[in-house]
Every structure is written in structure tokens, then in C-alpha cells.
DNA sequence: GCGTGACGTCGAAGCGCTTCGACGGGCGAA
DNA sequence: TTCGCCCGTCGAAGCGCTTCGACGTCACGC
């Protein structure tokens, strides 16, 4: 193995000079730098990561904790992970993959052994048991999603309130006057992050702002539920022409149910959703939707982390990503009766 | 930060004794071990990963290179990755996530900087450009999939030949006498690993063994192709009652096409597939299939790597995992005409 | 003409751990 | 009894890098 002393000898300088030439932490003459670089190239020198970590107390590795829980859309996780890795590389960092399964002990382990410099957590719950640990840890972290209190932590996610609004805005713009929100199953409103509530807030606010008649329905997503939900919506709001679905498994079945009840999508009924793009695209009727911008979240998460690692003290605690609505085949202007 | 000297002092022993108590590389008296363990617990000691890596020239980290290419089934990759991480943890190792995008330079980087001890590569191509590098690298590696020549490398994958056979065996057992293989698009047979060919071999061998009439059809997987393929199959083999599909995007459309042509699945036609379980399960008619055992592949890959790291010299170059066929709704006994 | 400071470089001291050789004590074999 | 050996422990020497303080040189300002 070729080491820094070899490079130094070959270039006719001291090891510290090689180090400074590499890190740029002290001025080095043009001539010397050139010689060092040449020596490095000729010898094929690669600094030993462990030695570097030991001497500098920086591993240049980030931990990424991915969820395993059922109900998580895998491609979204994967896209996010890839985006984290790619962005981390731009900052000369690598990514260590951890599973949720490892729990708090896993976090403590990689943090305390100095295996990683910082952490990224996905799938943060409202009252995530890892929160106290994260606050106590001496290493910076960024969480995807918002817990009940993000005090002293850094969080990032899609702006679900704005996403709810965007869907309603789109429907209002198309002339729809009676809209409904088909929400996530009731337990999601309790267990998970606050995102489900925020969709409701956005939905309601936008509907009020546009002067639309609106209603909100948290819905189970079992096999037979779609039909029942569709019937209930139509019973309660016979003039319904716009639906926002924030319930992934229910999306397709619900559209089917509406059509079976004689309503054409988007002819009689416009449907928008908040869901991963794959789902919206793959549907029989491709659905106009606000996507979870996983790649962007990953990128931004790493950027936030890098700022924290650089000692930036005014990194925002909360970052909300603006929703982007993609129009597809499931929405159309309202046809006056 | 609490270090090994702190533990040593607290336990009244020397640092080396603490190290040996931890690693078990030299005998330590029961009494001493107890005192050391207690000191560790009381002080909350965690060995510094970098220092350890430097001193022992072992990072206890594996690199996992995941593919990005379109056409790869993401959940399979993810399941594989999770299984690698989980298994690696059982062996006290962590996993560094790399993307294919980083290419050979990325492999060289993590290997040469001693960031990782060993590598796992997914999605290995027939003539993968990384092969020479892997052979040259001083670190062990395991590849998922088989290149043209696996000489001197360690590879593991589903036994696709046996998978092809298993499908035919199943159909034969149900009494089917005329079978067809709907294979991957022609370019797959060229570009990728040899797995597509192996399926053909297994299919043909088993059909011959059972004395069935059989035919093989590499197929494109465009939107209109399903219908054409179905028609062609029925034209060429009017008595066809068993189909093996090794072409993921074509699976569902093909079944639909058959039904539109008046053939009931599984009433008139039994269909089996080689594809990820999700796909087989999610189909309108759940498909009897041989799955890609991603979790098992991940586990076995790590085990192979651990053996190599332990200095085991007779680790098999090729490991073929036995297929497991799951019966679902798409196959049934042949009904005599 | 001399003090001052920036520039460019060096040497040495660690970073926290593992590992090697050494050593004292105890025990079994001769 | 004595020799030799194994057990259990220690001290010291690194592992390969970064970083701090120091030093010589040169240019500039007064």
C-alpha cells in the first residue's frame, strides 16, 4: 500500500506538505502542488480512510436509516436513497445503509463509534422514540417528515398542506364547485406523522378560499371499501364533481367504483391524488397528482446536513418542499349539467 | 469521548487487556473479563471505528453496489439490500451503499482507501467492465448474476435453468402436453447476464424429458405486443394449454390478451411465470410463479463474503439457488377436450 | 534600514486502537 | 526437584493521517 510518506519522498517534500496540498488548508506553492499531484498520480496514492478518520475525527460518511414497515412505497424509498447517495458523493461523502430494524441502538452505535459524521432518518413518526436520542447525539441529523415537536431538530418533507391546496386549486380552476377529500385510514391520522392532517388543512382552506362545497372522509383501504366510499360520497354530495385522494391503495379501486356507478372519469368526475408518481402513471386512467418529490427531498436533506457539518448554525429547523402537480388524464373542466 | 485507556484505568488493567477481552484473541481470566465488561458498561465505551480500522486494517464495512438501470424491478433490489444489511449485521459488519453510476472508479475508491473490506455487486452483465478490476482488487467480492466467465470470481443467483424446468414440471404434472415459453426481449439475450438463455435450456430440457410439445418465443414487451404474441402462439400451437412467461412487463397484458381471445386462465390455459412475487401476486389472476429469492440471495452473498474474509479458500465460484414455485390461481389441471 | 507579517514548508506530536514480544507464576512431566 | 510450557497480563510500537507550532524567506511600509 502506498502511503503519504511515499508520496512525500517521491515529490521531495514532507508528509505534512502533501497533506496540505491535498486539503488546501494551508497555502502551497504552485510548483510544489504540481509535484505532489504528479507523485500521487504516478504512485496511485489513496489516503487510508481509517487513518484519516482517526486523525481528523471526520469519517466523511453519512448514515441513512430506511424504513421497513409495510405500507411504505418501496420505489419512493429507493429513489430517495439513490438521491442521497448521489448528492452525498458531490460533497465527497459516502453513505452507510441502516435499517429501521436496528433501532436506537443502531443509531447510537454508528454515531458513537464515529463510523458516521451525521444521520438521515426516513419515516419519522409523530412521537418517534428516536427523537430524544437524536437531540442528545453529538452528531447532526436530518429527518424526513415531521414529529410532533421538531424543536432543535432539522426536518424536511413535502409541504402536504400546500399539496392539499394545489389539488383543490386545480379542481377549482377547472370549474368544479363540489369537492371531497378521500383521506388516509383513520389510524394514519394518529400513528404517523402529521402529514395527513396537513393535507386536510390545505384541502379545507383552499376549498373555503375558492368558495367550494367540500367534505373530508378518512377512509379504510380494504378490498370492499372502494365501492362503499364511492357510494357514500355520492349520497352525501350528489353534485360532487371533484375528488382528491390521499390514500394510495384506494386510488385505483375508487376510480373503478365510480365508473361502475356510472360516472366517467374525467367526464363526470375529476380525480386528483397525492401519491407517488408511479402509482398515478400506472393507473388505468393516469391520475393528475402531486408527487412525493423523493429525489428532491434526498438532495435537500444532504445539503442541510452538509451545512450543519460545516458549522452553519442557522440551518432551518423545518423545510417544506413546494408541491408540483402533474396534470394527467383524470381531470377535466366541469361540464355544466 | 471515552477511550480504551479510560476503560483500562477504570478496570485496573492495561489497554491491551481490554482489547483482548473484547476481541477474545487471547485468553483472559473470567474475573478480569467481568471487570472490563463492567467498566465498559459504566463508562459507555464505544471503540472508535476509524482507530480500529487503522490498527487492524479491517473496517468491518461491506460495499453494496446497486443498479440504477431502467427495467430493474426496484422492490427486488430493495429487498435484496435490506437482506444484505441485516445479514451483514449478524456478522458485525455495516454496509456502504454505492450506485452503479459511480462505476469502476467508485469501486476502486472504496477498496483502495480501505473504506470497505469487501464488495457485493448486483446486476452483473455478461461482459461487465468491472470484472478485470474485481479480479485485480485485493479485496474479496461477490456478484449477483453470472458474467460470461466467472473464473476466479464468486457469483450467486437463482438457478434459472432449474426455474425453467420447475415451471414445465408443474405444467406437466397438471397434465399439460403442449407448452410454450414466452421469453425476454431479444436484446436481453444479448446484453444481460446469461440468465435468459438458461431459462430456455431448462424449459426445453424439461419439456423433452416429459415428452411435451414445446416452443420458445423471445418477445418484445411493447403495448401492442401482448395481443400479437398471444395470437402467434395459438396459431403455431393450436393445442397449447401451458405457458411459461419469463418477461415481466408482458405477463399481465398477455393473460388479458388470451382471455380476450376467448381462452380462460386457468380454465383453458395454465400460465406460470418467473418474476418477482409482487408481480405474480398483484396480477388480476394471481400467477403461479417462481420468484427471484432476493432475500435469500442477499443472505447467501454475505455469507460467501464472510467466508472469503475469513480466509476460506474453497468458497465456491458459482452458487445456484434452487427455485421455489408458488402455486397461485393461474394454473389448473388440463381438461381433456 | 528594520520591523512586520504573510507565505511556504517542515518536524513532531498525537488520533485510539491492535498486536507483538516479553514476562511472571503456576503446574505437569520427567 | 527442576525444566518447560501455557496462561494471563503488560508495555511499547506502530497503523497512516492531520494539525499545530516553528522557522526561514521575502516583500512591503515607515
Amino acid at each position: 500500500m502506498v502511503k503519504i510518506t511515499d508520496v512525500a519522498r517521491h515529490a521531495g517534500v514532507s508528509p505534512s506538505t502533501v497533506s496540505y496540498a491535498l486539503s488546501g488548508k494551508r497555502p502551497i506553492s504552485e510548483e510544489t502542488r504540481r509535484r505532489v499531484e504528479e507523485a500521487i498520480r504516478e504512485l496511485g496514492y489513496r489516503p487510508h480512510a481509517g487513518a484519516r478518520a482517526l486523525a481528523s475525527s471526520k469519517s466523511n460518511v453519512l448514515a441513512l436509516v430506511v424504513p421497513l414497515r409495510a405500507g411504505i412505497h418501496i420505489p419512493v424509498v429507493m429513489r430517495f436513497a439513490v438521491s442521497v447517495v448521489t448528492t452525498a458523493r458531490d460533497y465527497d461523502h459516502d453513505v452507510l445503509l441502516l435499517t429501521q430494524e436496528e433501532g436506537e441502538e443502531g443509531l447510537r452505535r454508528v454515531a458513537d463509534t464515529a463510523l458516521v459524521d451525521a444521520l438521515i432518518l426516513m419515516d419519522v413518526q409523530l412521537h418517534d422514540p428516536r427523537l430524544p436520542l437524536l437531540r442528545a447525539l453529538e452528531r447532526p441529523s436530518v429527518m424526513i417528515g415531521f414529529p410532533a415537536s421538531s424543536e432543535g431538530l432539522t426536518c424536511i418533507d413535502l409541504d402536504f398542506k400546500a399539496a392539499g391546496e394545489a389539488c383543490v386549486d386545480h379542481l377549482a380552476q377547472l370549474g368544479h364547485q363540489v369537492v371531497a377529500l378521500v383521506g388516509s385510514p383513520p389510524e394514519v391520522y394518529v400513528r404517523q406523522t402529521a402529514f395527513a392532517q396537513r393535507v386536510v388543512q390545505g384541502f379545507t382552506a383552499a376549498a373555503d378560499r375558492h368558495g367550494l362545497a367540500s367534505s373530508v372522509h378518512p377512509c379504510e383501504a380494504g378490498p370492499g371499501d372502494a365501492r362503499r366510499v364511492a357510494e357514500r360520497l355520492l349520497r352525501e354530495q350528489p353534485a360532487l364533481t371533484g375528488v382528491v385522494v390521499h390514500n394510495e391503495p384506494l386510488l385505483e379501486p375508487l376510480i373503478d367504483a365510480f365508473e361502475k356507478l356510472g360516472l366517467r372519469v374525467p367526464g363526470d368526475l375529476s380525480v386528483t391524488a397525492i401519491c407517488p408518481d408511479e402509482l398515478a402513471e400506472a393507473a388505468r386512467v393516469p391520475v393528475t397528482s402531486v408527487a412525493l418529490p423523493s429525489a428532491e427531498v434526498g438532495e435537500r436533506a444532504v445539503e442541510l446536513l452538509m451545512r450543519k457539518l460545516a458549522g452553519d448554525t442557522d440551518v432551518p429547523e423545518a423545510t417544506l418542499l413546494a408541491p408540483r402537480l402533474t396534470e394527467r388524464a383524470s381531470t377535466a373542466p366541469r361540464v355544466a349539467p
Side-chain angles (χ1 to χ4, degrees), chain A:
Chain A
M1 178 198 198
V2 31
K3 37 196 173 188
I4 201 171
T5 52
D6 300 328
V7 175
R9 196 174 326 114
H10 198 268
V13 298
S14 79
S16 51
T17 300
V18 174
S19 179
Y20 286 123
L22 245 46
S23 70
K25 292 191 178 169
R26 286 204 180 169
I28 295 288
S29 71
E30 194 45 53
E31 158 66 4
T32 304
R33 182 193 314 290
R34 223 192 27 66
R35 286 222 314 287
V36 168
E37 278 165 4
E38 193 175 316
I40 289 178
R41 216 168 348 92
E42 284 182 11
L43 302 181
Y45 168 68
R46 300 275 193 172
H48 186 288
R52 212 168 230 217
L54 178 55
S56 68
S57 32
K58 277 190 191 119
S59 66
N60 274 36
V61 174
L62 309 179
L64 171 62
V65 187
V66 300
L68 291 178
R69 212 154 47 64
I72 300 258
H73 195 71
I74 302 287
V76 167
V77 173
M78 198 66 191
R79 193 155 44 227
F80 176 79
V82 166
S83 140
V84 165
V85 171
T86 308
T87 312
R89 287 304 308 143
D90 291 342
Y91 288 93
D92 195 31
H93 281 246
D94 277 288
V95 174
L96 201 77
L97 188 61
L98 299 182
T99 62
Q100 200 96 279
E101 196 185 39
E102 284 223 54
E104 304 175 51
E105 165 59 16
L107 296 185
R108 197 176 282 122
R109 183 175 59 81
V110 295
D112 288 353
T113 60
L115 228 193
V116 306
D117 294 336
L119 308 141
I120 299 181
L121 311 206
M122 303 184 65
D123 191 35
V124 176
Q125 311 284 81
L126 252 188
H127 297 282
D128 203 296
R130 300 168 295 183
L131 296 180
L133 177 59
L134 288 181
R135 283 187 238 262
L137 242 38
E138 70 287 21
R139 312 202 176 273
S141 55
V142 167
M143 350 194 20
I144 315 307
F146 285 82
S149 156
S150 60
E151 187 74 31
L153 298 168
T154 304
C155 305
I156 179 171
D157 209 344
L158 171 63
D159 186 340
F160 280 94
K161 179 155 183 266
E165 291 179 335
C167 289
V168 174
D169 289 349
H170 178 65
L171 292 174
Q173 209 171 304
L174 291 172
H176 299 278
Q177 293 173 355
V178 181
V179 298
L181 170 66
V182 174
S184 305
E187 65 265 29
V188 170
Y189 288 80
V190 179
R191 189 202 53 189
Q192 285 198 3
T193 69
F195 72 83
Q197 278 98 319
R198 293 233 203 70
V199 170
V200 174
Q201 289 167 21
F203 172 86
T204 310
D208 291 353
R209 179 157 34 80
H210 289 290
L212 311 185
S214 74
S215 65
V216 173
H217 306 260
C219 293
E220 293 296 344
D225 289 328
R227 176 73 183 229
R228 256 195 311 275
V229 170
E231 285 170 349
R232 175 152 51 97
L233 289 181
L234 295 175
R235 190 174 345 109
E236 295 184 11
Q237 298 173 284
L240 182 72
T241 64
V243 177
V244 178
V245 180
H246 181 218
N247 185 322
E248 299 172 12
L250 209 52
L251 179 56
E252 278 224 68
L254 192 63
I255 293 181
D256 289 345
F258 279 128
E259 302 218 318
K260 287 215 181 87
L261 290 173
L263 292 176
R264 318 259 67 192
V265 174
D268 305 313
L269 202 64
S270 282
V271 175
T272 79
I274 301 171
C275 71
D277 264 341
E278 287 95 351
L279 243 74
E281 283 166 2
R284 203 171 33 74
V285 181
V287 179
T288 294
S289 73
V290 170
L292 286 76
S294 21
E296 191 187 351
V297 174
E299 195 177 322
R300 299 289 301 277
V302 172
E303 284 165 4
L304 289 168
L305 218 37
M306 288 301 151
R307 284 177 59 187
K308 292 179 101 174
L309 280 174
D312 187 339
T313 53
D314 45 39
V315 175
E317 290 195 346
T319 304
L320 291 170
L321 263 34
R324 269 193 315 243
L325 184 140
T326 304
E327 290 191 46
R328 299 201 179 81
S330 68
T331 50
R334 169 167 169 266
V335 183

